Structure formats: C-alpha cells, structure tokens
Amino acid sequence: LPILSAFQSRYPRITPWLLPEGSASHKEEADLVVSSASAPPGPDACVLEMNPWVLCAAPSYLEKHGIPGSPQDLLRHRCLVLDLAGKPQQQWMFQDNDQIFSLEVPPAMIAFGEAIHAAAREGLGIARLASFIVREDLENGKLVPLLSEFLGSSSRAICVSPTESSAHFAKVRAFMEFAAEFVQATA
C-alpha cells in the first residue's frame, strides 16, 4: 500500500483496483498480479523484496507459556495457523545444521493472514507469518521473533508481474518501474 500511495501521488489519473486472489474477476480483469513465490519469478516479473517466514509471539504469550527452545517445543504451544486459499499451513519447515525438516504443528486457530497477525499481537499463540506483515511489530516489540536459528534461508520473493493481456500497457510498465524504484529507495 505505501507503493500504491506514492504511485497515485505521481500518477493521480490511474486508479488502482485491488482484487483478492481467486475472486471471479481476478484473472479476467487484472493488469498486474502481486504474488509471493518460492520459485524464481517469470521473465516479466519484478522482484520487490525477499520475504522470509518469521515465527513470532507477543511478549504476553511468552510470559505465560514460555519460550520454545526448539521446533519440537511447538508441539506443546498454541500455534496460529495461516489458511492460504482454503489450505491450512500446518507444515512448518525448519533447518537444523544442514538437515531440513517439516513439523506439523497443532493449530489453536486457523485463519487468514490479518486474523493470525491480530491473534498473535493479542497473545493468543505463536504465528508463522511473512516478514513484511510483522516487520513493524518486531521493531517496536509488540511481537518477538522465535527460533530464528532454525528457520534457515527459506525465503519467498514478493513479485509484481503483468498479465499476458496487459504487458504492453504504459500504465503497467509505469507501475512496475515505479515499484522497483520505490523498493530500491526504501531498502
């Protein structure tokens, strides 16, 4: 949203229309798709930033339930599980030395990103969320990062890509160039 705000200041006659992924008109009417992917983006995509997963909890939760020292400790904690397109993300990936492993966490709640974020801030459990969602809360101490040494280098790229029918539009090229410059300037 900060990119859109700055873009609209420069190009006030272009009106953004944000559609949720999977909506009926998402594929037909979109000019650009903003996505998060672990695979390399397509040739027309612009990578805005890398977006690793972060495990975190509110200080109030940690005071009551303790700080997990290893991924296996999560089995005794309240885990706030993200639902992505109707699929609960209960398999959390970890790395111990060179070994990568998956742990199925017990869900205390399953919900969409903003609800999981809010629940974590309220002290309802431990969440695994994208870094861009929790960055500010980690900086101001509302959330505490956990098990960072076990998260390895798994990172996803936040990309903006034109749809096949809109790649030639001037407004699309203008936004992609602007977004790349904006991210570069704020990095």
Side-chain angles (χ1 to χ4, degrees):
L1 290 178
I3 295 171
L4 279 178
S5 176
F7 181 75
Q8 280 197 288
S9 293
R10 186 179 292 173
Y11 300 98
R13 294 180 57 191
I14 297 176
T15 303
W17 181 10
L18 305 178
L19 301 169
E21 188 174 0
S23 68
S25 57
H26 176 255
K27 294 276 189 223
E28 296 111 30
E29 300 189 38
D31 291 331
L32 291 164
V33 176
V34 177
S35 62
S36 181
S38 52
D44 294 334
C46 172
V47 175
L48 298 179
E49 72 176 299
M50 295 311 288
N51 182 33
W53 288 111
V54 175
L55 255 60
C56 56
S60 61
Y61 175 85
L62 298 173
E63 287 170 16
K64 266 189 202 172
H65 302 280
I67 299 171
S70 72
Q72 290 76 16
D73 290 346
L74 294 172
L75 299 175
R76 295 185 300 277
H77 279 271
R78 297 181 49 82
C79 296
L80 307 174
V81 173
L82 190 60
D83 181 319
L84 294 177
K87 296 177 184 152
Q89 304 298 301
Q90 288 178 250
Q91 297 292 329
W92 291 1
M93 299 300 293
F94 296 97
Q95 183 174 341
D96 192 8
N97 296 317
D98 291 333
Q99 185 177 2
I100 296 174
F101 64 96
S102 172
L103 180 70
E104 185 169 338
V105 297
M109 174 191 287
I110 300 171
F112 59 94
E114 279 302 312
I116 294 297
H117 182 204
R121 287 180 60 176
E122 290 297 318
L124 298 180
I126 296 173
R128 183 184 77 142
L129 290 164
S131 64
F132 81 92
I133 292 173
V134 296
R135 183 178 297 130
E136 189 176 313
D137 292 320
L138 295 171
E139 289 170 359
N140 64 29
K142 291 182 181 175
L143 291 173
V144 176
L146 301 169
L147 303 175
S148 301
E149 66 276 18
F150 293 100
L151 294 179
S153 61
S154 68
S155 192
R156 301 169 312 149
I158 298 177
C159 305
V160 61
S161 308
T163 58
E164 196 172 310
S165 62
S166 69
H168 63 282
F169 293 165
K171 67 181 180 181
V172 169
R173 286 191 312 273
F175 180 79
M176 290 185 65
E177 289 171 11
F178 183 87
E181 291 170 10
F182 184 92
V183 170
Q184 184 81 16
T186 59

